[in-house]
Amino acid sequence: MMKKWLAPLVAFALVASALTAFSVAAAPDRAEAASGADFDAGNIISDKNFYDAQSMSLDSIQSFLNQQVPTCRATSGPTCLKNYSMDTTTRQDSGQRCGTYPGGPGQSAARIIYNVSQVCGISPKALLVLLEKEQGIVTSSAPTAYMYRSATGFGCPDTAACDAQYYGFFNQVYGAALQFKRYAATPTSWSYQAGRTNNVFYHPNAACGTKPVYIQNQATASLYIYTPYTPNAAALNNMYGTGDSCSAYGNRNFFRLYTDWFGSTTGGTNPYGYVDAATAGFQQVAISGWAVDPDSTGAIRVDFYIDGQGVTSATADIDYPHLAPTLGASNTRHGFSKVITGVAPGAHSICAIAINVMAGGNTLLECRSFTVASGAPFGYIDQVSASPATIAVRGWAIDPDVVDPVTVRLSIDGREVVTARADVDKPSLPAVYPGWGSKHAFTLTATGIAPGAHSVCTTITNVGSGQDTRLGCSTVQIPSGSPQIYLDQASSTSPGVITLRGWALDPDTVDPVRVHVYLDGVLTTKLTADVEKASLATAFPGYGARHAFTASLTGVASGTRQVCVYAINQGPGENAGGCVNVVGPQGPPALYLDEVRATDLGQVLVRGWSVDPDTVDPVRVHVYVDGMLNTKFSADLAKESLSTAFPGYGAGHAFSTTLAGVGPGTHQICFYAINVGDGANTVACSSVRAVSGAPAILLDEASSPAVGTARLRGWTIDPDSVEALRVHVYVDGILTTKVTADVAKPSLATTYPPYGANHQFDVSVAGLRVGTHELCAFAINVGPGENRAACATVTVR
């Protein structure tokens, strides 16, 4: 079991009695004989039964204990559980998963079990079964000290000794209950989880295998975390005895004991549920919620009563995903929804009753009051907006006596100016006001309104009983005056370019306004603010969204530039605008080395990139090896990520080249990005060790130029030295001669500059018999590495 709960994500904890078939006396007078066929590995006990703290009173717990042991035979050891008592301390759970335990002197075992169940919300029945499953202490007429010391097996894994800090009856009962609350509070932190298929071991011996179990609820998941094994067929076939070597019994015994003592672990209880809403509408009420009977996973019936009279019923078979954490992801079709029509206007009460199946009785879920409206119409003004010479009002209106659209009137300064039918679709209305449909929205628009303040009132015309309803009045200002202008962006992200973004709006017109842009006091461009910007239509109702602008000023000199932007006024008012200073990108170049590594004799591969903020052109790069200039090049290769990282500069700023003439040993290689404009050169250095190891050797010729003579010609270089190497020549495996590879071969100086040309050897071996011979030239290694050979077969004439 997960008594060692400090590592919840990694270890399957083990139960002290998980492997014990059951060593205590059988329970007297079973409430129901347990059968292995009834054991559901995915639903060992329902959440309702496991967490039902009110399932037993203090007196009923004590009575139950008395019944289990009519005669206590304890003499020298501890007394039986029915007579046991101890002093307890007040305890507060720091994680607030259990309430405060009220400690006190001489508390009985029944009192401890009851108090823990109340403060932690765990069924007393579950705690009694746990005590019996772990130690057999409930039915023992002569319990041992060990039974009390580790009563619930908390802190006692199968694979280690019990933890002394959890010793004692009170500690054990409280600790186990708190642990079950921890499991429920953090369900995804443990190895076994409800609402998914879990591979549950049959036994600590992994060779016994696992069983895929869809765990349906948290209570079952918690039992598996506490005792991480499921019974195999052998254990279930002999429900009151032992199985085989791969049998574990902890969770089987929990199921068996609960069934023996209290009946079904998942059934035998009344249905339960909840009424989510009861909403009145047009001569109707809509009621919804969920209902479950613990005795069945099937949908149950829900009956509805209005004012005490049964009117209709519904089947709770609608998918209700919120039930997944408690009932399992495959057992969520328990929702109900019903619209009851023909309800007369006035105040009413509606009650929902869940109809029981199997054992138990019907459950009154809840009664709700509601009122079916009649009389004056009602509605809401969603928005009042003003634009040049125009006032618009949007909202919705319903008359409770009819489902048809009603008439809405708009008055300005006490004079009715426009009417409209509230027949525009508003999809959200049916959910709030069922029965009337969605076509009850309206828009009232009045034009030709003079600038200034106006009183605007909206009225709904009544139909049937009641009277007209004044939705509301407000003072509305028809705008006029100078335009507004705002710069969202004024920046230079690439050399010679300034980017402008913003918007401009004149209150006297809905048309786009003209915008003039000045650079350092000189008019540079004229444009129209007619680009769409959706937020403007919301911020300025009636004006629309096409009032934004963008502009790019090119050919701008580097440094700080003043940019002024003006919105050109229309009607009353004057031009509006302002100025900002924009600093173009400048400074030293950026330089980054992606790769610097030796690749061959005298060669180093270098890759990287460089960008100078003062220019979009490629940067010149100078490379120095050990302080000596080696090469120069332009960083002009394409690297697509650069165009994203440096907008406006393009991708052509990377470099990749091979440096030649790098001799043996470790070298300091420095790269200088040559600055353009403001700033200084940028340097980046890297320490590189040249290629090291065994020498290279190659045969250019293997021939027989004269009778009894063989010739070998080739070259060899050791990467660790520029000196000529020694070469040993073997004929048919016998050392024949030794030479130094110091003959000039001009091409070597070109290919391997630091090593020079003098690395060739030319050897003739005389006195050989006619026939085929194997000749091998061994280059003698210098420094790291080993000798290397080049061999050839020569036919001597």
Side-chain angles (χ1 to χ4, degrees), residues 752-772:
Y752 306 107
Y755 293 89
N758 297 328
H759 295 283
Q760 183 174 228
F761 60 87
D762 192 342
V763 181
S764 292
V765 181
L768 300 178
R769 61 176 174 78
V770 175
T772 300

Side-chain angles (χ1 to χ4, degrees), residues 459-734:
T459 303
I460 308 173
T461 302
N462 178 69
V463 178
S465 61
Q467 57 189 2
D468 293 354
T469 297
R470 175 67 59 86
L471 274 186
C473 296
S474 59
T475 299
V476 178
Q477 185 79 31
I478 294 293
S480 182
S482 303
Q484 297 184 54
I485 187 169
Y486 187 82
L487 273 179
D488 296 318
Q489 178 187 0
S491 62
S492 177
T493 57
S494 60
V497 178
I498 292 178
T499 300
L500 303 176
R501 288 191 309 106
W503 57 268
L505 185 146
D506 192 302
D508 294 294
T509 178
V510 296
D511 295 328
V513 301
R514 297 287 296 163
V515 175
H516 291 183
V517 181
Y518 289 75
L519 178 64
D520 294 332
V522 177
L523 178 62
T524 302
T525 188
K526 299 178 182 180
L527 54 89
T528 301
D530 58 0
V531 178
E532 184 171 343
K533 182 180 174 77
S535 60
L536 293 174
T538 303
F540 301 96
Y543 286 84
R546 305 187 68 85
H547 296 283
F549 62 85
T550 61
S552 290
L553 310 182
T554 59
V556 180
S558 61
T560 301
R561 305 269 73 86
Q562 185 189 62
V563 177
C564 298
V565 183
Y566 295 95
I568 306 306
N569 179 68
Q570 298 187 47
E574 56 187 15
N575 298 343
C579 302
V580 295
N581 289 329
V582 179
V583 180
Q586 57 187 351
L591 173 64
Y592 189 81
L593 303 179
D594 293 320
E595 183 178 19
V596 180
R597 63 180 176 88
T599 58
D600 203 349
L601 291 170
Q603 297 184 342
V604 174
L605 173 66
V606 297
R607 294 191 307 106
W609 57 267
S610 182
V611 175
D612 192 305
D614 296 286
T615 179
V616 297
D617 295 329
V619 175
R620 293 290 296 164
V621 178
H622 293 184
V623 183
Y624 288 74
V625 177
D626 298 329
M628 301 295 294
L629 180 64
N630 180 280
T631 189
K632 302 176 183 180
F633 53 78
S634 291
D636 57 3
L637 300 181
K639 183 180 175 75
E640 290 305 321
S641 59
L642 293 175
S643 60
T644 303
F646 300 94
Y649 286 83
H653 296 281
F655 58 84
S656 177
T657 190
T658 299
L659 307 181
V662 181
T666 301
H667 303 274
Q668 182 79 354
I669 302 180
C670 292
F671 300 77
Y672 288 82
I674 307 304
N675 180 69
V676 176
D678 183 72
N681 297 341
T682 299
V683 61
C685 296
S686 178
S687 180
V688 178
R689 182 172 178 80
V691 171
S692 179
I697 184 169
L698 183 67
L699 293 178
D700 294 323
E701 180 182 351
S703 63
S704 178
V707 175
T709 302
R711 181 188 183 191
L712 288 182
R713 184 173 58 82
W715 60 270
T716 180
I717 296 176
D718 191 300
D720 297 295
S721 175
V722 297
E723 303 297 330
L725 294 186
R726 294 290 295 164
V727 176
H728 293 184
V729 178
Y730 286 74
V731 177
D732 297 328
I734 299 173

